[in-house]
Amino acid sequence: MQNDYRTNLDAWLTAAERRYSADLRVQEITRALRALSSAYVERRERGGRRQHVHGALDTVGKRAAFALYYAPLHFIAVTEAVRALQATLPAPESIVDLGCGTGAGGAAWAIATGSTATITGIDRHPWAVVEARWTLAQLGLKGHVKQGDIDRLRASRPNEFAIAAYTLNELPDEARQRVEEQLCERARRGGRALILEPLARGVVPWWPETADRMTAIGARADEWKLAIDVPPIVRLLGTAAGLNYRELRFRTILL
Protein backbone atom coordinates (compact mmCIF):
# COMPACT_ATOMS: atom_id res chain seq x y z
CA MET A 1 0.00 0.00 0.00
CA GLN A 2 2.86 2.37 0.81
CA ASN A 3 4.20 2.34 -2.76
CA ASP A 4 0.82 2.43 -4.42
CA TYR A 5 -0.41 5.90 -3.58
CA ARG A 6 -0.87 6.88 -7.25
CA THR A 7 -3.30 4.01 -7.73
CA ASN A 8 -5.32 5.29 -4.79
CA LEU A 9 -5.05 8.88 -5.97
CA ASP A 10 -6.11 8.06 -9.54
CA ALA A 11 -9.08 5.96 -8.42
CA TRP A 12 -10.25 8.69 -6.03
CA LEU A 13 -9.93 11.38 -8.69
CA THR A 14 -11.65 9.28 -11.36
CA ALA A 15 -14.64 8.88 -9.05
CA ALA A 16 -14.60 12.61 -8.19
CA GLU A 17 -14.39 13.60 -11.86
CA ARG A 18 -17.33 11.36 -12.70
CA ARG A 19 -19.27 12.82 -9.79
CA TYR A 20 -18.73 16.48 -10.68
CA SER A 21 -18.86 16.17 -14.46
CA ALA A 22 -22.41 14.85 -14.18
CA ASP A 23 -23.56 18.44 -13.60
CA LEU A 24 -20.68 20.60 -14.84
CA ARG A 25 -18.72 20.95 -18.04
CA VAL A 26 -14.94 21.17 -17.97
CA GLN A 27 -15.18 24.79 -19.15
CA GLU A 28 -17.33 25.68 -16.13
CA ILE A 29 -14.91 24.03 -13.70
CA THR A 30 -12.00 25.81 -15.41
CA ARG A 31 -13.66 29.21 -15.00
CA ALA A 32 -14.27 28.45 -11.35
CA LEU A 33 -10.66 27.37 -10.91
CA ARG A 34 -9.46 30.68 -12.35
CA ALA A 35 -11.68 32.51 -9.85
CA LEU A 36 -10.27 30.48 -6.96
CA SER A 37 -6.71 31.07 -8.12
CA SER A 38 -7.30 34.80 -8.54
CA ALA A 39 -8.70 35.05 -5.00
CA TYR A 40 -5.69 33.20 -3.65
CA VAL A 41 -3.16 35.40 -5.51
CA GLU A 42 -4.97 38.58 -4.46
CA ARG A 43 -4.89 37.49 -0.85
CA ARG A 44 -1.20 36.60 -1.04
CA GLU A 45 -0.27 39.94 -2.57
CA ARG A 46 -2.05 41.92 0.13
CA GLY A 47 -0.61 39.74 2.88
CA GLY A 48 -4.04 38.87 4.20
CA ARG A 49 -5.25 35.91 6.21
CA ARG A 50 -8.53 34.20 7.04
CA GLN A 51 -9.77 34.11 3.44
CA HIS A 52 -7.99 31.16 1.91
CA VAL A 53 -9.39 29.12 -0.98
CA HIS A 54 -11.74 27.39 1.48
CA GLY A 55 -13.43 30.67 2.20
CA ALA A 56 -14.50 31.09 -1.42
CA LEU A 57 -16.36 27.82 -1.95
CA ASP A 58 -19.63 29.56 -2.63
CA THR A 59 -20.57 27.81 -5.90
CA VAL A 60 -20.68 24.21 -7.03
CA GLY A 61 -18.13 25.09 -9.73
CA LYS A 62 -15.59 26.34 -7.21
CA ARG A 63 -16.15 23.31 -5.03
CA ALA A 64 -15.57 21.06 -8.02
CA ALA A 65 -12.42 22.99 -8.94
CA PHE A 66 -11.08 22.65 -5.42
CA ALA A 67 -11.83 18.92 -5.30
CA LEU A 68 -10.37 18.16 -8.73
CA TYR A 69 -7.35 20.47 -8.73
CA TYR A 70 -6.20 21.63 -5.30
CA ALA A 71 -7.13 18.51 -3.33
CA PRO A 72 -4.96 16.13 -5.40
CA LEU A 73 -2.05 18.57 -5.21
CA HIS A 74 -2.42 18.62 -1.43
CA PHE A 75 -2.53 14.81 -1.42
CA ILE A 76 0.72 14.65 -3.41
CA ALA A 77 2.43 17.29 -1.25
CA VAL A 78 1.67 15.44 1.98
CA THR A 79 2.70 12.09 0.52
CA GLU A 80 6.02 13.37 -0.81
CA ALA A 81 6.80 15.21 2.42
CA VAL A 82 6.08 12.39 4.86
CA ARG A 83 8.03 9.94 2.74
CA ALA A 84 11.06 12.22 2.43
CA LEU A 85 10.91 13.03 6.15
CA GLN A 86 10.57 9.33 7.01
CA ALA A 87 7.41 10.18 8.90
CA THR A 88 5.64 6.96 8.00
CA LEU A 89 6.99 4.78 10.81
CA PRO A 90 5.88 3.78 13.29
CA ALA A 91 2.48 3.58 11.67
CA PRO A 92 -0.17 5.53 13.58
CA GLU A 93 -3.26 4.06 15.15
CA SER A 94 -5.16 7.29 14.53
CA ILE A 95 -4.74 10.57 12.64
CA VAL A 96 -6.40 13.89 13.44
CA ASP A 97 -6.82 16.00 10.29
CA LEU A 98 -7.23 19.64 11.33
CA GLY A 99 -9.12 21.82 8.86
CA CYS A 100 -9.40 18.69 6.77
CA GLY A 101 -10.96 20.19 3.65
CA THR A 102 -11.61 17.29 1.29
CA GLY A 103 -9.73 14.94 3.62
CA ALA A 104 -6.72 14.75 1.31
CA GLY A 105 -4.02 15.38 3.93
CA GLY A 106 -5.02 12.83 6.52
CA ALA A 107 -5.82 10.27 3.86
CA ALA A 108 -2.44 10.77 2.19
CA TRP A 109 -0.55 10.27 5.46
CA ALA A 110 -2.55 7.15 6.31
CA ILE A 111 -1.94 5.62 2.89
CA ALA A 112 1.77 6.51 2.98
CA THR A 113 2.15 4.64 6.27
CA GLY A 114 0.34 1.60 4.94
CA SER A 115 -1.67 1.67 8.14
CA THR A 116 -5.29 1.08 9.05
CA ALA A 117 -5.35 4.26 11.10
CA THR A 118 -8.68 5.77 12.07
CA ILE A 119 -8.93 9.33 10.77
CA THR A 120 -10.77 12.10 12.55
CA GLY A 121 -11.41 15.07 10.29
CA ILE A 122 -12.48 18.50 11.56
CA ASP A 123 -13.51 21.45 9.40
CA ARG A 124 -15.77 24.48 9.74
CA HIS A 125 -17.08 24.32 6.17
CA PRO A 126 -20.16 22.08 5.79
CA TRP A 127 -19.24 21.11 2.22
CA ALA A 128 -15.76 20.07 3.34
CA VAL A 129 -17.23 17.79 6.00
CA VAL A 130 -19.39 15.99 3.43
CA GLU A 131 -16.56 15.84 0.91
CA ALA A 132 -14.05 14.47 3.42
CA ARG A 133 -16.47 11.72 4.41
CA TRP A 134 -16.82 10.84 0.75
CA THR A 135 -13.02 10.81 0.33
CA LEU A 136 -12.51 8.41 3.22
CA ALA A 137 -15.18 6.09 1.85
CA GLN A 138 -13.71 6.16 -1.67
CA LEU A 139 -10.23 5.33 -0.38
CA GLY A 140 -11.45 2.61 1.96
CA LEU A 141 -10.22 4.41 5.08
CA LYS A 142 -11.78 4.28 8.52
CA GLY A 143 -12.83 7.43 10.30
CA HIS A 144 -15.33 10.16 10.86
CA VAL A 145 -15.55 13.85 10.04
CA LYS A 146 -17.23 16.56 12.05
CA GLN A 147 -17.94 20.25 11.67
CA GLY A 148 -16.23 22.46 14.22
CA ASP A 149 -13.28 24.61 15.22
CA ILE A 150 -9.81 23.14 15.49
CA ASP A 151 -8.31 25.25 18.27
CA ARG A 152 -9.74 23.14 21.08
CA LEU A 153 -8.26 19.69 20.58
CA ARG A 154 -8.88 16.76 22.86
CA ALA A 155 -5.88 15.20 24.57
CA SER A 156 -3.63 13.17 22.32
CA ARG A 157 -4.14 9.42 22.24
CA PRO A 158 -1.23 6.95 22.17
CA ASN A 159 0.33 6.58 18.72
CA GLU A 160 -1.79 9.34 17.22
CA PHE A 161 -0.62 11.68 14.45
CA ALA A 162 -2.01 15.16 13.80
CA ILE A 163 -1.86 17.06 10.52
CA ALA A 164 -2.68 20.66 9.69
CA ALA A 165 -2.24 20.99 5.92
CA TYR A 166 -2.91 24.43 4.40
CA THR A 167 -4.94 25.21 7.51
CA LEU A 168 -3.16 27.44 10.01
CA ASN A 169 -2.94 30.34 7.55
CA GLU A 170 -6.74 30.56 7.64
CA LEU A 171 -6.94 31.17 11.38
CA PRO A 172 -6.89 34.41 13.37
CA ASP A 173 -3.58 34.76 15.20
CA GLU A 174 -4.92 33.81 18.63
CA ALA A 175 -6.61 30.64 17.35
CA ARG A 176 -3.52 29.70 15.33
CA GLN A 177 -1.29 30.10 18.35
CA ARG A 178 -3.59 27.87 20.41
CA VAL A 179 -3.38 25.15 17.77
CA GLU A 180 0.40 25.52 17.58
CA GLU A 181 0.75 25.13 21.34
CA GLN A 182 -1.49 22.07 21.35
CA LEU A 183 0.63 20.50 18.62
CA CYS A 184 3.79 21.32 20.56
CA GLU A 185 2.31 19.69 23.66
CA ARG A 186 1.61 16.57 21.65
CA ALA A 187 5.23 16.50 20.55
CA ARG A 188 6.45 16.93 24.13
CA ARG A 189 4.40 13.86 25.04
CA GLY A 190 5.97 11.82 22.26
CA GLY A 191 3.33 12.34 19.58
CA ARG A 192 3.87 13.39 15.98
CA ALA A 193 2.41 16.31 14.05
CA LEU A 194 2.88 17.79 10.59
CA ILE A 195 2.19 21.39 9.61
CA LEU A 196 2.17 22.16 5.89
CA GLU A 197 1.70 25.59 4.34
CA PRO A 198 2.37 27.40 1.04
CA LEU A 199 5.89 28.64 0.40
CA ALA A 200 4.68 32.18 -0.33
CA ARG A 201 5.76 34.32 2.62
CA GLY A 202 2.82 36.70 2.23
CA VAL A 203 0.39 33.92 3.17
CA VAL A 204 2.31 32.88 6.29
CA PRO A 205 4.13 35.94 7.67
CA TRP A 206 4.16 34.25 11.08
CA TRP A 207 6.12 31.23 9.82
CA PRO A 208 9.69 32.17 10.89
CA GLU A 209 8.63 32.76 14.49
CA THR A 210 6.60 29.55 14.58
CA ALA A 211 9.40 27.53 13.02
CA ASP A 212 11.97 28.90 15.47
CA ARG A 213 9.78 28.10 18.45
CA MET A 214 9.09 24.56 17.28
CA THR A 215 12.61 23.67 16.18
CA ALA A 216 13.74 24.72 19.66
CA ILE A 217 11.81 21.72 21.03
CA GLY A 218 13.16 19.29 18.44
CA ALA A 219 10.99 19.83 15.36
CA ARG A 220 12.45 20.19 11.88
CA ALA A 221 11.39 22.81 9.35
CA ASP A 222 11.82 22.39 5.59
CA GLU A 223 11.04 24.16 2.35
CA TRP A 224 10.09 22.19 -0.74
CA LYS A 225 10.17 22.79 -4.49
CA LEU A 226 9.20 19.50 -6.12
CA ALA A 227 8.73 18.72 -9.79
CA ILE A 228 5.76 16.38 -9.98
CA ASP A 229 3.77 14.29 -12.44
CA VAL A 230 0.09 15.03 -11.94
CA PRO A 231 -3.05 13.03 -12.83
CA PRO A 232 -4.73 13.86 -16.19
CA ILE A 233 -7.61 15.92 -14.74
CA VAL A 234 -5.17 18.14 -12.82
CA ARG A 235 -3.12 18.63 -15.98
CA LEU A 236 -6.22 19.41 -18.02
CA LEU A 237 -7.61 21.96 -15.59
CA GLY A 238 -4.25 23.49 -14.78
CA THR A 239 -3.38 23.97 -18.43
CA ALA A 240 -6.77 25.46 -19.27
CA ALA A 241 -6.59 27.83 -16.29
CA GLY A 242 -2.98 28.82 -16.96
CA LEU A 243 -1.66 27.53 -13.62
CA ASN A 244 1.71 26.01 -12.79
CA TYR A 245 0.89 22.48 -11.73
CA ARG A 246 4.31 21.02 -12.58
CA GLU A 247 6.03 22.14 -9.39
CA LEU A 248 4.82 22.04 -5.81
CA ARG A 249 6.13 24.77 -3.53
CA PHE A 250 5.39 24.44 0.15
CA ARG A 251 6.94 24.38 3.60
CA THR A 252 6.61 21.98 6.49
CA ILE A 253 7.26 21.61 10.19
CA LEU A 254 7.45 18.05 11.50
CA LEU A 255 7.06 17.76 15.25
Side-chain angles (χ1 to χ4, degrees):
M1 189 174 185
Q2 185 174 357
N3 296 319
D4 200 31
Y5 90 90
R6 278 303 297 263
T7 299
N8 288 276
L9 174 60
D10 290 343
W12 169 46
L13 271 184
T14 297
E17 184 178 2
R18 186 184 312 117
R19 183 181 179 212
Y20 283 107
S21 63
D23 299 313
L24 295 166
R25 295 174 298 163
V26 170
Q27 294 90 333
E28 293 174 299
I29 300 174
T30 300
R31 284 197 298 271
L33 178 57
R34 289 195 192 102
L36 279 178
S37 177
S38 295
Y40 181 82
V41 171
E42 179 184 354
R43 172 179 172 271
R44 179 181 65 193
E45 289 176 346
R46 68 173 186 260
R49 296 192 291 277
R50 309 181 188 113
Q51 181 61 28
H52 190 29
V53 175
H54 268 179
L57 300 175
D58 55 348
T59 69
V60 66
K62 290 178 181 178
R63 295 191 287 271
F66 190 91
L68 295 176
Y69 184 81
Y70 286 108
L73 292 180
H74 294 175
F75 187 101
I76 294 171
V78 171
T79 300
E80 296 293 343
V82 298
R83 286 182 168 185
L85 294 170
Q86 299 181 346
T88 57
L89 293 174
E93 294 180 7
S94 58
I95 297 174
V96 179
D97 192 347
L98 304 172
C100 61
T102 65
W109 205 354
I111 289 172
T113 66
S115 73
T116 57
T118 298
I119 298 173
T120 299
I122 307 169
D123 202 291
R124 293 188 66 183
H125 200 293
W127 170 79
V129 171
V130 174
E131 193 73 8
R133 288 171 180 162
W134 183 84
T135 292
L136 296 183
Q138 288 296 311
L139 292 172
L141 298 170
K142 298 183 301 181
H144 61 279
V145 187
K146 60 183 180 181
Q147 187 173 0
D149 295 322
I150 65 171
D151 59 337
R152 300 293 183 188
L153 298 179
R154 57 168 168 74
S156 177
R157 295 173 178 171
N159 201 22
E160 180 175 77
F161 291 3
I163 181 170
Y166 301 99
T167 295
L168 296 188
N169 72 82
E170 299 182 34
L171 300 177
D173 288 337
E174 290 185 2
R176 172 180 56 78
Q177 290 164 5
R178 284 195 295 270
V179 175
E180 290 176 0
E181 181 52 40
Q182 290 165 6
L183 295 178
C184 287
E185 184 59 30
R186 284 172 177 245
R188 294 185 190 102
R189 295 179 178 179
R192 176 169 279 180
L194 178 70
I195 300 170
L196 190 150
E197 291 290 349
L199 193 58
R201 181 64 62 87
V203 180
V204 287
W206 42 266
W207 187 270
E209 180 182 348
T210 294
D212 287 347
R213 185 169 64 255
M214 292 186 172
T215 54
I217 63 169
R220 65 172 288 174
D222 295 273
E223 295 184 354
W224 308 80
K225 296 180 182 179
L226 302 178
I228 58 170
D229 177 33
V230 298
I233 186 60
V234 177
R235 187 180 306 115
L236 175 65
L237 293 174
T239 299
L243 301 177
N244 177 19
Y245 55 83
R246 296 179 178 86
E247 184 181 56
L248 282 176
R249 296 180 172 221
F250 59 97
R251 58 182 80 220
T252 57
I253 297 174
L254 179 66
L255 290 132

